[in-house]
Amino acid sequence: MTKTTGNLAHQPQIIKDPQDVEPQLQSLANLSLQDFAQIILTANFARSDETAHSTKNYAGTNFYHILVKAIRDVLATKGFTAHSHRNIELALHDNIVIGVCKGDENTGNPNQEPRSQYKKGDVTLKLLGLRQDDNPQQEKLFSDTERLHVKGGKLQLTLDEKERDVWVLVHYSIKNTLGDYQVKAELSQPATYDNNGYINSFANRIILDFGQQQINNAAPEFTDNIDFKIE
């Protein structure tokens, strides 16, 4: 059944089969599963030196900062550039924009829909232009040139006179031991948030299954309330 929220009809498409994932990533901006495996492994390694003496947020903070950098570093050869918009860290391409978001335990599970692990700050929610799912008639929070909007059933961000589809690298980490984390991830398009400020649905989801590449000690994490750091 289609769930309608404001102008956004929520009928998620879930891409999970390996033979479908690669073509879908390729169609976005010449992306590949290997790109994201490298990104996740790089960020995960940043917390491998965590010890019992590390601060509480050490692993998550390191992971977040290196994750954003790794996305930009790895995708630079494919035309992506770094961009910060209202303190939200993004990677921009001519056709799409990629942010990051820490999800819950359902991240990467095609049979369950994840939501953000942290509630989003007002800046993120306003920028995203997401409609609160129980209040579809809420007023517009930003002008059309400053926020995401719905076009053809997709969220888009308008910057420098270009419209870009918005995707987020959603990640969830399972801690095995100090410095040893396993990560699940998906590249998805956020759709709605609930009345507590948590993103609770995604329009399209590409499940990133790294197989044997995703072995412990080399994955991601996030942090914060504003987060398109979307953390």
Side-chain angles (χ1 to χ4, degrees), residues 12-228:
Q13 178 183 22
I14 301 173
I15 308 298
K16 62 179 181 178
D17 295 331
Q19 66 268 26
D20 297 325
V21 168
E22 286 289 2
Q24 186 67 30
L25 291 173
Q26 180 78 22
S27 71
L28 294 180
N30 194 31
L31 303 175
S32 71
L33 187 60
Q34 180 57 40
D35 290 335
F36 290 102
Q38 182 178 347
I39 288 166
I40 294 296
L41 289 171
T42 298
N44 203 32
F45 184 74
R47 58 189 176 186
S48 62
D49 63 347
E50 178 189 33
T51 71
H53 296 158
S54 299
T55 58
K56 181 179 180 180
N57 296 322
Y58 178 85
T61 299
N62 279 10
F63 181 82
Y64 167 69
H65 290 291
I66 299 303
L67 181 64
V68 172
K69 181 178 182 295
I71 291 174
R72 293 166 171 175
D73 286 346
V74 172
L75 300 186
T77 59
K78 301 190 173 182
F80 282 81
T81 58
H83 185 80
S84 295
H85 189 69
R86 295 181 180 271
N87 295 318
I88 295 171
E89 300 300 330
L90 305 168
L92 293 183
H93 186 270
D94 282 346
N95 303 314
I96 70 172
V97 54
I98 297 177
V100 295
C101 177
K102 186 172 184 178
D104 64 9
E105 66 275 8
N106 291 325
T107 300
N109 183 349
N111 300 314
Q112 297 290 333
E113 188 161 47
R115 71 171 193 163
S116 60
Q117 188 162 111
Y118 301 119
K119 64 182 180 180
K120 301 303 152 194
D122 288 344
V123 173
T124 294
L125 296 175
K126 292 175 182 179
L127 175 69
L128 284 175
L130 300 183
R131 296 294 184 185
Q132 187 173 335
D133 62 4
D134 60 356
N135 184 17
Q137 301 305 316
Q138 72 180 65
E139 63 182 296
K140 292 183 178 181
L141 300 173
F142 277 136
S143 71
D144 288 342
T145 59
E146 290 183 305
R147 67 177 182 87
L148 291 177
H149 56 281
V150 177
K151 183 176 181 181
K154 298 182 191 175
L155 287 172
Q156 293 192 322
L157 175 65
T158 299
L159 287 175
D160 58 28
E161 299 182 347
K162 291 182 180 179
E163 289 185 330
R164 296 172 173 86
D165 289 345
V166 176
W167 294 80
V168 292
L169 179 57
V170 187
H171 61 87
Y172 177 75
S173 296
I174 300 169
K175 185 174 183 176
N176 297 321
T177 60
L178 283 173
D180 184 2
Y181 294 80
Q182 180 181 356
V183 182
K184 299 189 296 181
E186 59 184 74
L187 188 67
S188 301
Q189 293 181 296
T192 63
Y193 66 94
D194 63 22
N195 57 12
N196 291 315
Y198 292 85
I199 292 177
N200 64 350
S201 72
F202 294 85
N204 293 294
R205 302 171 61 199
I206 303 175
I207 307 301
L208 303 175
D209 183 356
F210 304 117
Q212 294 305 308
Q213 299 181 68
Q214 188 59 28
I215 301 176
N216 304 339
N217 204 10
E221 231 249 1
F222 241 131
T223 249
D224 213 12
N225 262 351
I226 222 188
D227 124 295
F228 203 37

